[in-house]
């Protein structure tokens, strides 16, 4: 041991060092604003990575938690509880699919999707198990979902990889067609690649994939962990393309900040036998009660219309800022947007923004990503643009 008591020199020494965290400790949040323990405030356009769809500490969530916590917290996934039954019903009604398994994270829902597709292949497709996934895709950080992901920086990490994932370029229907073989059971993708930097698949590609998977008796799995629950201005991103997947996964926005996810499937695919799927905390009443409250709020037509309107306001404002600072285009949909900076300066801009009291994300060296609360106000969008304007100027000065 080099330092017998590392906490003397570093108060954060006991926290596993998995990300370059700034030396700030957040203490409270309200709506689009975060406050640290010294009283400094930040305008939050990350919102837990598109998780807090109603902002920080919304009354809808704190009320649902308090009411349900006093009623029933957990009684095992082997029993029904009221919020579990209600949330599964809401999600099937809204998605047009038929059965739901509630879990705790996006990766866990995607693991369930992969297992369900493999089970369906073993039952109905002669043991087919291969899943075609996309370059630069992101499906989570478990071993199987890392293997399903197409992040180049993960190549060679945690070998051996889980086999059975074939990668193709995102948006290339001919490449998907060419990758189909006798062992193929499904195609899995995000309707908008989020972690890769906000790249929409486009309606034509999604519609082409739906037709192609139908024609070849393959399942279409849509990972809407980031795009689902109103983020793109519709309840689910697949609605923009007017298609339905066979399997859908949801997480981030579903709990508005609490850990809950969902594996949603068409009746024809639901083939788990008892014991195939489960998990100690899956479908617990406390998180499911929050999910119900969130889904009832976000699915209101007026709520979704406001997301689209706020998305348009943010897009126009980013385009004006881009013209002023000589950046590139704005991409994305609803309130999942990215600004192409046109040069590899995202780290400098993110750091400058942080110093100016703004949290934004740089998913790539040349791009910024914006994932505000779906309840973000016009004046908060304007305040963000003002701070970003300053941050872009700071970054240019220091370049
Ligand atoms: C965040 C994300 C995941 C992983 O979700 P976790 O809750 O972090 O496990 C999976 N897929 C997509 C598209 C995501 O954005």
């Amino acid at each position: 041991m080099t330092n017998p008591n590392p906490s003397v020199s570093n108060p954060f020494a006991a926290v596993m060092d998995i990300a370059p965290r700034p030396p700030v400790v957040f203490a409270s949040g309200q709506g689009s604003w975060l406050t640290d323990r010294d009283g400094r405030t930040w305008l939050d356009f990350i919102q837990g990575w598109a998780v807090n769809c109603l902002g920080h500490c919304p009354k809808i969530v704190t009320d649902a938690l308090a009411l349900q916590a006093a009623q029933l917290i957990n009684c095992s996934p082997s029993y029904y509880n009221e919020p579990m039954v209600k949330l599964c019903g809401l999600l099937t009604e809204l998605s047009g699919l038929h059965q739901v398994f509630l879990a705790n994270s996006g990766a866990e829902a995607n693991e369930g999707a992969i297992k369900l597709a493999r089970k369906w292949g073993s039952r109905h497709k002669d043991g087919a198990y291969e899943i075609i996934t996309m370059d630069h895709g992101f499906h989570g950080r478990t071993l199987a979902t890392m293997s399903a992901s197409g992040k180049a920086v993960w190549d060679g990490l945690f070998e051996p990889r889980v086999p059975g994932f074939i990668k193709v370029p995102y948006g290339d229907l001919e490449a998907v067609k060419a990758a189909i073989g006798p062992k193929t059971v499904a195609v899995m993708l995000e309707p908008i690649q989020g972690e890769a930097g906000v790249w929409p698949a486009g309606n034509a590609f999604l519609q082409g994939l739906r037709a192609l998977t139908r024609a070849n008796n393959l399942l279409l799995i849509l990972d809407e962990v980031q795009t689902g629950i109103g983020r793109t201005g519709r309840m689910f991103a697949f609605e923009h393309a007017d298609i339905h997947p066979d399997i859908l996964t949801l997480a981030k926005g579903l709990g508005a900040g609490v850990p809950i996810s969902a594996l949603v499937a068409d009746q024809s695919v639901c083939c788990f036998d008892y014991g195939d799927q489960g998990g100690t905390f899956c479908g617990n009443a406390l998180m499911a009660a929050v999910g119900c409250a969130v889904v009832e709020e976000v699915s209101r037509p007026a709520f979704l219309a406001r997301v689209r309107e706020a998305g348009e306001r943010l897009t126009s404002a980013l385009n004006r800022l881009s013209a002023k600072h000589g950046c590139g285009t704005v991409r994305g949909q609803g309130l999942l947007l990215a600004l192409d900076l046109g040069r590899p300066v995202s780290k400098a801009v993110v750091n400058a923004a942080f110093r100016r009291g703004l949290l934004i994300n740089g998913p790539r060296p040349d791009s910024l990503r914006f994932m505000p609360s779906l309840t973000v106000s016009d004046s908060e969008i304007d305040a963000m643009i003002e701070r970003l304007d300053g941050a872009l100027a700071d970054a240019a000065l220091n370049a």
Side-chain angles (χ1 to χ4, degrees):
M1 275 222 291
T2 46
N3 184 345
N5 188 357
S7 64
V8 171
S9 50
N10 176 5
F12 308 121
V15 182
M16 199 172 280
D17 202 20
I18 53 97
R21 300 178 176 105
V24 164
V25 179
F26 288 114
S28 63
Q30 198 53 241
S32 291
W33 299 89
L34 269 174
T35 304
D36 78 357
R37 61 183 178 189
D38 300 322
R40 286 175 296 178
T41 60
W42 277 264
L43 179 56
D44 187 1
F45 268 58
I46 293 179
Q47 289 287 1
W49 268 263
V51 164
N52 306 325
C53 62
L54 303 176
H56 290 285
C57 301
K59 189 164 160 42
I60 287 174
V61 171
T62 56
D63 281 356
L65 280 170
L67 277 175
Q68 190 60 44
Q71 197 81 29
L72 175 68
I73 293 177
N74 184 19
C75 63
S76 155
S78 304
Y79 298 101
Y80 296 119
N81 66 66
E82 274 186 31
M84 168 210 269
V85 173
K86 181 176 173 185
L87 181 56
C88 293
L90 283 170
L91 290 175
T92 56
E93 213 173 283
L94 289 163
S95 66
L97 300 175
H98 305 101
Q99 290 193 19
V100 180
F101 174 77
L102 297 174
N104 309 284
S105 70
E108 195 182 7
N110 284 334
E111 284 272 343
I114 293 162
K115 285 167 65 178
L116 188 58
R118 286 186 175 192
K119 180 86 188 197
W120 182 84
S122 74
R123 274 274 184 84
H124 302 294
K125 212 167 180 289
D126 208 19
Y129 63 87
E130 275 178 4
I131 300 178
I132 298 171
T133 61
M134 305 292 143
D135 288 343
H136 309 293
F138 180 76
H139 300 295
R141 294 172 188 279
T142 61
L143 286 172
T145 56
M146 284 183 89
S147 301
S149 300
K151 270 175 90 109
V153 291
W154 284 352
D155 284 349
L157 196 61
F158 309 134
E159 295 286 335
R161 298 172 74 88
V162 175
F165 298 100
I166 312 293
K167 302 283 165 17
V168 298
Y170 191 59
D172 186 342
L173 198 61
E174 288 308 312
V176 179
K177 217 177 273 182
I180 297 173
K183 292 193 172 65
T184 311
V185 72
V187 177
M188 177 175 184
L189 75 159
E190 303 152 85
I192 298 176
Q193 286 191 335
E195 296 306 301
V198 189
W199 298 98
N203 292 344
F205 182 54
L206 290 173
Q207 288 157 0
L209 276 180
R210 182 64 283 188
L212 183 67
T213 48
R214 285 249 159 83
N216 289 275
N217 191 27
L218 304 175
L219 303 180
L220 179 62
I221 305 172
L222 286 185
D223 176 349
E224 292 225 29
V225 165
Q226 189 157 152
T227 56
I229 316 296
R231 179 56 53 183
T232 68
R234 301 274 174 210
M235 196 60 190
F236 309 106
F238 66 70
E239 295 172 43
H240 295 286
D242 201 19
I243 59 157
H244 278 85
D246 301 294
I247 299 177
L248 167 72
T249 56
L250 302 167
K252 293 193 164 85
L254 180 58
V258 305
I260 182 168
S261 65
L263 162 63
V264 190
D266 189 86
Q267 191 68 53
S268 61
V269 186
C270 296
C271 59
F272 280 142
D273 288 308
Y274 294 153
D276 287 354
Q277 184 67 335
T280 305
F281 299 114
C282 293
N284 74 82
L286 187 62
M287 297 304 123
V290 175
C292 289
V294 171
V295 166
E296 282 179 332
E297 173 67 4
V298 173
S299 63
R300 290 191 300 109
F303 185 99
L304 292 167
R306 168 61 198 167
V307 174
R308 296 192 290 275
E309 184 189 285
E312 280 160 23
R313 186 183 184 92
L314 180 53
T315 302
S316 315
L318 286 172
N319 274 319
R320 282 194 298 275
L321 202 60
S322 176
K324 177 176 170 186
H325 291 274
C327 305
T329 55
V330 178
R331 51 180 191 265
Q333 201 154 30
L335 285 172
L336 180 57
L337 296 171
L339 172 64
D340 179 352
L341 294 167
R343 43 199 180 270
V345 293
S346 75
K347 207 176 260 174
V349 177
V350 165
N351 290 338
F354 188 82
R355 285 190 295 271
R356 287 174 173 268
L358 170 65
L359 300 184
I360 42 169
N361 165 243
R364 295 160 49 110
D366 65 357
S367 304
L368 299 177
R369 178 170 47 160
F370 305 87
M371 306 160 272
S373 166
L374 302 184
T375 60
V376 70
S377 69
D378 286 352
S379 63
E380 286 163 349
I381 291 174
D382 297 348
M384 191 285 290
I385 292 292
E386 197 184 314
R387 290 176 192 209
L388 182 57
D389 188 12
L392 286 165
D394 295 348
L397 278 180
N398 297 328

